[in-house]
């Protein structure tokens, strides 16, 4: 006979246990806070998860539904000694008055609770240990231009953006930042052929470009790729560009080599104005694409790897990240087919051919691992065994150009970034011990840097740029940004946990959270210094992604804290300045600027609401009738900015062209309703992609 059902009134244990009792296998009273948490002083962290608060039938139905998005809390191993949830201090570790973020519906905002470290950090009282640890963002499935779902991993800034939106929505309600009808669509610029519903055809002719213009485009191309791609020798550039002197006959080039020359021109022209990018860059890219795909990938060679690598870089600048991801995969597989990952392919590091092949392999690994870390996707070269230690040592012993030194340094830090993405965000191993181990690896990498890269100071732009880039200065900026990005990426889960809870950390996790803010601040300051020095080009496809990651961290800190360090606010402003400069030529940078501006407006709205007092309010201010509103204004959508030929410059005061207030006249104030700022209208849906 089956056991008779026990009535709820006669049960001796609660229907649902709180997170702490469930993880430690303790009997729970089923209340919030429960008796066990009250005895241990953990009232603030006692909650029931969203998934378990629903009826059992509804939970089972949601598990069968593919579209269900509610996450289930992972139980914590009882053999592990957990770490406390904490609040963080500002960048300088000074105590600030914090406005706590309350979990929604009595549940944890981040229900994906992860295991803590097995040891209590030094200086932390073990009796104050909580039952939860640091949190991580969740991966996402977004729609591309054709309506197909594409994967975005938890390490991506796009996934972190959802956490920030959730916090903003819980604190101030619906806002242009948190409510986005197209939040499930990945921002991808459609190709011209897709817009016209035509099959891709080669252009009838290439625009006439003089030899001087080709050299200028080549300098721009090598400048923006410093630290990421170095796959050409100086003596072959003129032949690829078709600018060989008359007394030096030019040998006929293969289709792949002609494609590489066209791609150099395309990437350089992409960094110019919007009209040059459309009239010159696009035809040269399409011609290169036709030449590369004509052979149907049947005979891989070094030029095929170089061409696909350059095509991927061009597409990243065009805001076509999924297409760039595909070309990177082809470049990686072609490099493996050529044996570039094996030391048997390098017999003599004094040979220019072997050095070129090694730089090509490093360039493939840098772009593959970096782009996929930014998108949160597995890299094509991540699981490839490569016995290259002796080869790298032999190459480091040879004289190298500044561009090659930047490439070697970037290769080392990008490998660490890829390991962080795999272990912290994919395997969810978020502990103090793991984070500190990665920080030790980053510190060891920093100590191995050459003097030109490891010396702190301002960027030197006094020298004349070489024919192959900016003389290494922009490569140094790229390497520095990768270093700061690595530190921010590995410490971001600790910072997020502190900003979304009310408890307190010990000194060690608080310092790790402060390192995240410091890294984001240094990254923003480095890019701002390069911008003011005139080093930046109009289209920096990697820098805009790193800037957006830093801006989200800084903006999240500004939103959640009541008192903010001036350095953080200045760094956040520098981030929007640089993105504003890049937005003139990049729809992706314009969209990133739009998101960060909305976040800044949400932070100002929250701080304004906390200052309300029923005993006093402002009735008059000098110049209030003509002064600009204090909040940042919303820029135009990227679709509009892309096709307006009379787009105002997005630098400093030039951004006033995006606002909606018309000029003052004698009859009163005229309003341009088409571009009126509606950032304070709570229930108006914010249109935009991810």
């Amino acid at each position: 006979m089956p056991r008779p059902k026990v009535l709820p009134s006669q049960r001796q244990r609660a229907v649902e246990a709180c997170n702490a009792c469930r993880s430690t296998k303790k009997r729970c009273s089923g209340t919030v806070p429960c008796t066990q948490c009250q005895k241990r002083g953990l009232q603030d962290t006692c909650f029931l998860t969203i998934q378990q608060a629903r009826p059992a039938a509804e939970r089972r139905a949601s598990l069968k539904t593919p579209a269900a998005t509610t996450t289930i809390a992972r139980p914590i191993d009882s053999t592990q000694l957990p770490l406390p949830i904490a609040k963080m201090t500002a960048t300088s570790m000074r105590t600030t008055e914090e406005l706590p973020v309350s979990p929604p519906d009595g549940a944890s905002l981040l229900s994906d609770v992860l295991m803590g470290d097995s040891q209590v950090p030094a200086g932390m009282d073990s009796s104050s240990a909580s039952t939860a640890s640091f949190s991580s963002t969740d991966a996402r499935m977004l729609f591309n231009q054709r309506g197909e779902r594409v994967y975005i991993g938890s390490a991506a800034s796009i996934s972190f953006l959802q956490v920030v939106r959730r916090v903003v929505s819980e604190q101030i309600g619906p806002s242009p930042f948190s409510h986005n009808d197209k939040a499930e669509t990945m921002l991808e610029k459609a190709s011209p052929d897709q817009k016209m519903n035509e099959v891709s055809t080669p252009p009838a002719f290439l625009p006439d470009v003089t030899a001087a213009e080709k050299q200028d485009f080549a300098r721009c191309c090598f400048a923006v790729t410093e630290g990421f791609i170095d796959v050409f020798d100086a003596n072959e550039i003129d032949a690829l560009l078709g600018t060989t002197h008359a007394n030096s006959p030019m040998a006929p080039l293969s289709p792949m080599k002609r494609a590489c020359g066209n791609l150099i021109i395309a990437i350089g022209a992409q960094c110019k104005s919007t009209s040059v990018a459309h009239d010159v860059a696009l035809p040269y890219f399409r011609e290169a694409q036709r030449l590369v795909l004509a052979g149907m990938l049947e005979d891989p060679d070094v030029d095929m790897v170089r061409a696909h690598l350059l095509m991927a870089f061009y597409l990243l600048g065009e805001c076509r990240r999924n297409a760039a991801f595909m070309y990177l995969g082809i470049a990686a597989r072609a490099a493996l087919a050529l044996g570039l990952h094996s030391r048997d392919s390098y017999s003599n590091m004094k040979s220019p051919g072997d050095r070129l092949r090694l730089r090509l392999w490093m360039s493939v690994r840098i772009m593959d691992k970096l782009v996929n870390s930014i998108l949160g996707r597995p890299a094509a070269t991540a699981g490839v065994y490569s016995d290259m230690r002796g080869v790298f040592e032999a190459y480091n012993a040879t004289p190298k150009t500044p561009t090659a030194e930047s490439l070697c340094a970037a290769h080392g830090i990008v490998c660490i970034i890829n390991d962080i993405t795999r272990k912290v965000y994919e395997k969810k191993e978020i502990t103090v011990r793991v984070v500190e181990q990665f920080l030790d690896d980053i510190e060891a990498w920093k100590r191995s840097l050459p003097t030109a890269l490891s010396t702190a100071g301002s960027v030197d732009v006094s020298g004349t740029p070489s024919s192959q880039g900016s003389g290494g200065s922009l490569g140094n900026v790229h390497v520095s940004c990768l270093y700061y990005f690595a530190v921010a990426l590995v410490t971001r889960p600790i910072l997020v946990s502190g900003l979304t809870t009310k408890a307190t950390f010990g000194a060690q996790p608080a310092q790790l959270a402060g390192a995240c803010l410091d890294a984001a601040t240094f990254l923003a300051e480095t890019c701002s210094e390069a911008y003011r020095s005139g080093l930046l080009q109009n289209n920096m496809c990697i820098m805009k992604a790193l800037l957006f990651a830093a801006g989200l961290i800084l903006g999240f800190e500004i939103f959640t804290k009541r008192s903010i360090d001036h350095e953080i606010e200045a760094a956040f402003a520098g981030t929007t300045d640089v993105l504003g400069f890049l937005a003139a030529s990049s729809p992706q940078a314009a969209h990133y600027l739009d998101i960060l501006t909305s976040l800044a407006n949400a932070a100002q709205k929250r701080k304004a609401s906390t200052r309300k007092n029923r005993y006093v309010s402002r009735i008059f201010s000098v110049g209030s009738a003509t002064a600009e509103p204090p909040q940042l204004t919303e820029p135009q959508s990227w679709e509009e900015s892309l096709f307006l030929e009379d787009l105002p410059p997005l630098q400093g005061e030039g951004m006033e062209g995006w606002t909606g207030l018309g000029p003052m006249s004698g009859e009163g104030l005229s309003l341009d309703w088409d571009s009126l700022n509606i950032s304070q209208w709570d229930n108006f849906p914010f249109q935009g992609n991810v």
Side-chain angles (χ1 to χ4, degrees), residues 530-609:
Y531 168 52
R532 292 192 297 268
S533 301
L535 277 177
L536 300 189
Q537 302 292 330
N538 290 338
N539 199 325
M540 311 285 292
C541 63
I542 301 295
M543 181 175 290
K544 63 189 177 186
L546 302 182
L547 267 174
F548 179 60
L552 272 182
I553 293 173
L554 298 173
F556 194 32
E557 168 77 7
I558 292 173
F559 178 85
T560 54
K561 292 295 182 64
R562 194 178 284 170
S563 176
I564 298 300
D565 188 279
H566 174 71
E567 186 180 8
I568 294 179
E569 291 184 329
F572 184 82
T575 301
T576 57
D577 288 343
V578 179
L579 286 176
F581 166 72
L582 299 176
S585 302
S586 171
Q588 188 177 352
H591 183 62
Y592 288 162
L593 175 64
D594 194 3
I595 293 174
L596 295 182
T597 302
S598 300
L599 178 57
N601 289 336
Q604 291 180 357
K605 179 179 179 180
R606 179 179 186 178
K607 288 174 174 56
S609 64

Side-chain angles (χ1 to χ4, degrees), residues 495-513:
L495 176 68
V496 173
S497 293
L499 293 179
T500 54
T501 55
K502 302 178 183 179
T504 55
F505 266 146
Q508 189 177 23
Q511 290 178 355
L512 296 177

